[in-house]
Amino acid sequence: MAVGKMSAQSIISGTITDGRNPLGGANVFIKGTIDGCLSDSLGRFSFSTAVTGEATLQATFMGFDDYTMTDDASQMTDLRIQLSERAATINEVVVTASTFSFGKSENFKTMDALDVVMAGNSCGDIVAALQTLPGTQMVGENGKLYVRGGESDECQTFVNGMHVLVPYSTNTQNNAVRGRFSPFLFKGINFSLGGYGGEYGQALSSVLPMETTDAATSDKYGVSASLVDWNVGGTKAFRNSSLSFNTALTSMGLYDELFTQRQDFSRPYRKLSGEAQYKQEFNASSVLKSYVGYDLTSVGQHIDGRNLMLTEHNGYANVTHKATIGHGATLFTGMAISSVFIDIDDALAAGDHYRNQRHEIHLKAEVRKVCSDALKLSAGAEDYIRHSTQTYEAYHYQLDYNLLATHVDAQWRVVPRLFLNLSARAELMRSHGLLMPRATLSYIPNKHVQLSFVAGRYSQTAADDYLARSQHHISQSTADHAILSMQFKSPTTLLRIEPYWKRYHHLPLLQNGIYQWQGRGNSKGVDLFVEDHSLTKQLTTTLSYSFNDSKRLYLDYTEMQTPDFASRHNLRLTAKYAIGKAIVGLSESYASGRHFPNGTTPHYNSVDANLTYLVSPKIIVYTSLNNIFGRTNIFRYDANGNDVVASRDRFFYIGIFVSLKNNKAYDISNF
């Protein structure tokens, strides 16, 4: 009887490929039995089965669609099986064109919060760390983000999808500012250099959306101290919620006593800030987040025969709620409030006084729905309500307006490797309406390569000062973007090349003392970014290069010219090497000269270094030295042709971060 069964067995054999290459390790078997095997490195398989007559053969391999065939078992020899790569669902695809991400993001992880702290020239500032990426330009006299030939205020910041009116701290003229937010506050940051979807508006060049951390599951408390700032903060975790806080005092008084500088400060730069955040997870499909932050900044400086005294109050708060509403749809609602008060004595001349107040309420609602594996839709509406006043001697203005906006967005998998994102944004300001179409076409042939073409129109209101001097004729500037993105990504290397083109319309242009919306401009160039981990396991290197050619006719310009904030070439090289409990960082920054009416500045160059040492699991010591060789970089020329330089050529920083409860020193405070 056993001999009879053996004689009735059939041999199942063949090869399995993806159409080009053999697939080793594919599982091939007869359904309903335990008969089967794995293919070898050449894609070959062979096994015996006692099944006679009609049988169903199945082949499976991760990342590919299952293959099935039904035939007489005795005929299943020398099979040639070709598997088709499984088409990714629309939720599995992340288009990275013109976007760099860090934190717990789905994109290539170029930085996390600790990387921001340890970046050679950042001193823990998000904005300074982002300036190591391509597309950004070095404007040392104020330290703000300038992207692809655009003004600093053309880059807008969003926290949990809600707009931040003023994301920077303040300082006196020709002194670099810092971003207001701590990197430890966020689980993900997506810095878009242009070509973003319909959800974000009021930004001509770029957006910086940041997502705060989720509810904590354990308590944590910590302190940090340095020559210039002192922090205490932590989190109290509850069953389904957590409350976080952080307070910080920044003061340059001690540093100014220890190290000489060029500028004469009558009152050292000081900033007192506090932040709090409450997060509540009602259930897996309902999450509430709220954040409130306040900064008080003051500084005094003897300059040009006057004693300038500056005070700024900057407050921001938001609350958002995200919930599933059934049928695969999610509802997002949010509200944000921004208020900024600035007082300056001796602002332009001895005895004068300048006051400025700016307020914004941002309301937003959006519905998102995954319709199928190939289609995802979203639609939303929002309202920006703005009020500002300014008083300078006899001059006074009051400005009130609101901007209504709606958007629709569709992400569609056209064929397995081709993805199309179509969006449209409409905005209404008083009687002026705009319709802005945007599109991204992406081809993703495999997990390593991504090709994208992005095009769209973007808008932004001019600064309040320009609106007030336009005799309250409120209009919007627009910019058309076109970007070609080519990216290669492996486990150890990221290479991205992005040529881009922008054209500006309706920029504010001063004519006969009144701002009209007749300015124009263009900006074109190419960005290159390489990040590599392949040389050794301990070494990470990056290369970031940007070429930009931009010209504008706006503000008080009398002809098309390169704006004075734009440099043609920007190059940054960084290296980070881990040695035991220490991490050593080195960076080189270069920018070609900038053009001013009274001359072109020399090139900018700075070599920066930093060292991070893990004293214990709860203590980190961080130190950095910017501009090691002490080069005096000329940032610009003033109206009299004088050089504008930094208050000091080098900046030395040393800080200690101590965890009081948890075991991660870099997670001690700032949530």
Side-chain angles (χ1 to χ4, degrees):
M1 192 68 180
V3 173
K5 281 189 177 182
M6 184 66 70
S7 63
Q9 285 191 336
S10 301
I11 301 298
I12 312 296
S13 64
T15 58
I16 184 166
T17 71
D18 63 359
R20 299 182 302 276
N21 303 306
L23 295 176
N27 189 19
V28 188
F29 59 94
I30 299 295
K31 288 192 69 174
T33 75
I34 60 172
D35 301 332
C37 70
L38 297 178
S39 61
D40 64 17
S41 61
L42 298 178
R44 299 174 301 194
F45 62 89
S46 179
F47 64 91
S48 61
T49 180
V51 174
T52 58
E54 187 175 89
T56 298
L57 179 77
Q58 186 163 358
T60 64
F61 190 74
M62 184 176 295
F64 289 79
D65 290 330
D66 294 347
Y67 172 89
T68 58
M69 66 169 291
T70 301
D71 201 350
D72 192 286
S74 63
Q75 303 299 313
M76 294 183 182
T77 58
D78 295 325
L79 300 174
R80 299 290 184 268
I81 296 175
Q82 180 178 325
L83 297 188
S84 299
E85 190 173 353
R86 181 181 298 123
T89 67
I90 196 67
N91 270 345
E92 294 174 330
V93 176
V94 178
V95 176
T96 60
S98 201
T99 298
F100 287 86
S101 301
F102 62 92
K104 298 176 182 177
S105 168
E106 299 300 321
N107 297 345
F108 190 92
K109 187 175 179 180
T110 61
M111 297 185 202
D112 60 20
L114 188 56
D115 290 324
V116 172
V117 172
M118 295 189 304
N121 59 349
S122 76
C123 295
D125 180 30
I126 289 178
V127 172
L130 290 174
Q131 289 171 349
T132 64
L133 296 176
T136 62
Q137 297 186 299
M138 175 57 65
V139 184
E141 66 268 33
N142 64 35
K144 297 180 180 180
L145 281 172
Y146 290 76
V147 177
R148 289 179 172 173
E151 276 270 26
S152 62
D153 61 2
E154 293 177 19
C155 176
Q156 296 296 310
T157 301
F158 296 82
V159 173
N160 295 335
M162 307 307 298
H163 185 242
V164 180
L165 184 62
V166 180
Y168 300 102
S169 62
T170 190
N171 210 332
T172 56
Q173 188 176 4
N174 301 323
N175 283 279
V177 301
R178 290 171 60 90
R180 291 187 57 205
F181 302 105
S182 163
F184 296 107
L185 173 64
F186 303 99
K187 68 175 183 179
I189 299 176
N190 296 289
F191 181 37
S192 174
L193 300 170
Y196 34 93
E199 177 184 0
Y200 297 111
Q202 288 301 287
L204 281 180
S205 285
S206 58
V207 292
L208 179 61
M210 304 191 287
E211 183 74 18
T212 58
T213 55
D214 298 324
T217 57
S218 61
D219 296 347
K220 55 182 179 180
Y221 304 101
V223 296
S224 65
S226 75
L227 294 175
V228 297
D229 57 4
W230 299 265
N231 293 263
V232 58
T235 293
K236 177 64 178 176
F238 305 99
R239 182 177 179 183
N240 296 309
S241 63
S242 62
L243 176 64
S244 304
F245 74 96
N246 184 70
T247 58
L249 172 64
T250 301
S251 175
M252 293 299 297
L254 176 61
Y255 195 94
D256 290 344
E257 290 291 331
L258 294 175
F259 302 98
T260 59
Q261 58 166 325
R262 296 185 177 94
Q263 297 176 359
D264 181 12
F265 288 99
S266 58
R267 178 194 295 170
Y269 177 90
R270 294 191 183 99
K271 184 178 75 168
L272 177 64
S273 60
E275 300 169 286
Q277 184 180 177
Y278 178 73
K279 295 154 281 190
Q280 171 80 51
E281 296 179 356
F282 299 102
N283 52 57
S285 59
S286 179
V287 178
L288 174 76
K289 289 185 176 183
S290 61
Y291 168 85
V292 59
Y294 167 75
D295 296 343
L296 169 60
T297 306
S298 64
V299 62
Q301 182 181 4
H302 294 296
I303 182 173
D304 296 335
R306 65 187 195 278
N307 184 22
L308 184 149
M309 300 293 291
L310 181 151
T311 303
E312 180 186 86
H313 302 264
N314 191 336
Y316 175 75
N318 73 29
V319 58
T320 63
H321 182 246
K322 187 184 298 184
T324 301
I325 55 177
H327 304 288
T330 301
L331 174 65
F332 171 90
T333 54
M335 178 177 71
I337 300 174
S338 298
S339 291
V340 182
F341 301 83
I342 300 176
D343 280 283
I344 307 177
D345 291 324
D346 287 12
L348 297 176
D352 69 5
H353 191 79
Y354 171 91
R355 275 196 178 94
N356 180 235
Q357 297 183 19
R358 297 177 62 193
H359 308 276
E360 177 186 81
I361 298 175
H362 182 208
L363 307 173
K364 183 176 181 179
E366 184 179 44
V367 176
R368 305 161 185 168
K369 179 176 174 60
V370 178
C371 301
S372 69
D373 286 347
L375 181 64
K376 181 166 63 175
L377 300 174
S378 65
E382 58 189 325
D383 188 12
Y384 293 85
I385 305 168
R386 291 172 174 168
H387 167 80
S388 67
T389 63
Q390 183 187 113
T391 301
Y392 179 70
E393 300 305 283
Y395 177 75
H396 173 80
Y397 75 72
Q398 178 173 315
L399 191 66
D400 295 276
Y401 67 94
N402 76 300
L403 183 142
L404 295 168
T406 62
H407 78 272
V408 293
D409 191 295
Q411 298 182 49
W412 177 36
R413 187 187 69 207
V414 183
V415 293
R417 296 181 179 87
L418 190 66
F419 301 86
L420 179 63
N421 180 287
L422 293 174
S423 64
R425 182 178 177 88
E427 294 182 349
L428 178 65
M429 181 183 295
R430 294 187 180 174
S431 59
H432 298 275
L434 281 175
L435 178 63
M436 292 163 285
R438 304 171 185 179
T440 300
L441 181 65
S442 297
Y443 176 61
I444 308 176
N446 54 56
K447 63 182 180 180
H448 300 299
V449 176
Q450 184 175 129
L451 304 173
S452 300
F453 178 73
V454 186
R457 172 159 288 190
Y458 304 84
S459 69
Q460 187 174 347
T461 59
D464 290 348
D465 291 352
Y466 304 144
L467 293 178
R469 292 182 60 184
S470 68
Q471 296 184 343
H472 298 277
H473 174 69
I474 295 179
S475 184
Q476 295 202 72
S477 303
T478 61
D480 298 321
H481 293 198
I483 304 163
L484 177 62
S485 178
M486 298 165 282
Q487 176 176 290
F488 171 80
K489 180 179 70 173
S490 73
T492 60
T493 303
L494 171 66
L495 168 64
R496 180 182 295 178
I497 302 174
E498 286 193 352
Y500 62 89
W501 172 90
K502 291 193 292 186
R503 175 165 291 174
Y504 292 92
H505 308 273
H506 310 299
L507 295 175
L509 180 65
L510 188 62
Q511 296 180 320
N512 300 320
I514 298 173
Y515 281 102
Q516 306 288 341
W517 310 108
Q518 298 177 8
R520 64 186 188 275
N522 59 73
S523 178
K524 56 185 179 291
V526 62
D527 294 333
L528 170 67
F529 182 77
V530 182
E531 179 170 294
D532 185 77
H533 309 263
S534 66
L535 298 177
T536 70
K537 183 172 62 175
Q538 296 85 6
L539 179 65
T540 299
T541 59
T542 67
L543 181 152
S544 174
Y545 170 73
S546 299
F547 169 79
N548 177 260
D549 178 17
S550 58
K551 287 183 170 55
R552 289 187 175 201
L553 175 65
Y554 85 135
L555 302 185
D556 58 353
Y557 290 13
T558 57
E559 60 182 13
M560 287 284 286
Q561 64 187 65
T562 300
D564 57 25
F565 55 78
S567 50
R568 200 171 185 85
H569 303 278
N570 284 266
L571 173 68
R572 297 173 182 89
L573 303 171
T574 68
K576 185 172 65 176
Y577 190 78
I579 309 172
K581 294 183 178 181
I583 299 176
V584 179
L586 189 68
S587 66
E588 154 73 12
S589 299
Y590 166 87
S592 57
R594 291 155 51 194
H595 300 289
F596 294 87
N598 43 18
T600 300
T601 63
H603 70 271
Y604 171 92
N605 190 68
S606 178
V607 178
D608 312 314
N610 66 84
L611 172 66
T612 304
Y613 185 74
L614 184 65
V615 179
S616 75
K618 293 188 176 184
I619 301 176
I620 279 182
V621 175
Y622 170 81
T623 181
S624 66
L625 177 61
N626 291 1
N627 196 12
I628 293 173
F629 299 112
R631 174 185 170 86
T632 300
N633 288 299
I634 299 174
F635 295 135
R636 61 183 295 126
Y637 298 120
D638 64 18
N640 298 319
N642 299 317
D643 300 346
V644 173
V645 299
S647 61
R648 47 177 58 90
D649 291 327
R650 296 185 181 93
F651 188 84
F652 174 70
Y653 180 91
I654 182 168
I656 182 170
F657 301 79
V658 182
S659 173
L660 300 178
K661 190 159 187 176
N662 66 342
N663 60 0
K664 294 180 179 179
Y666 61 83
D667 202 21
I668 54 160
S669 62
N670 297 288
F671 318 107

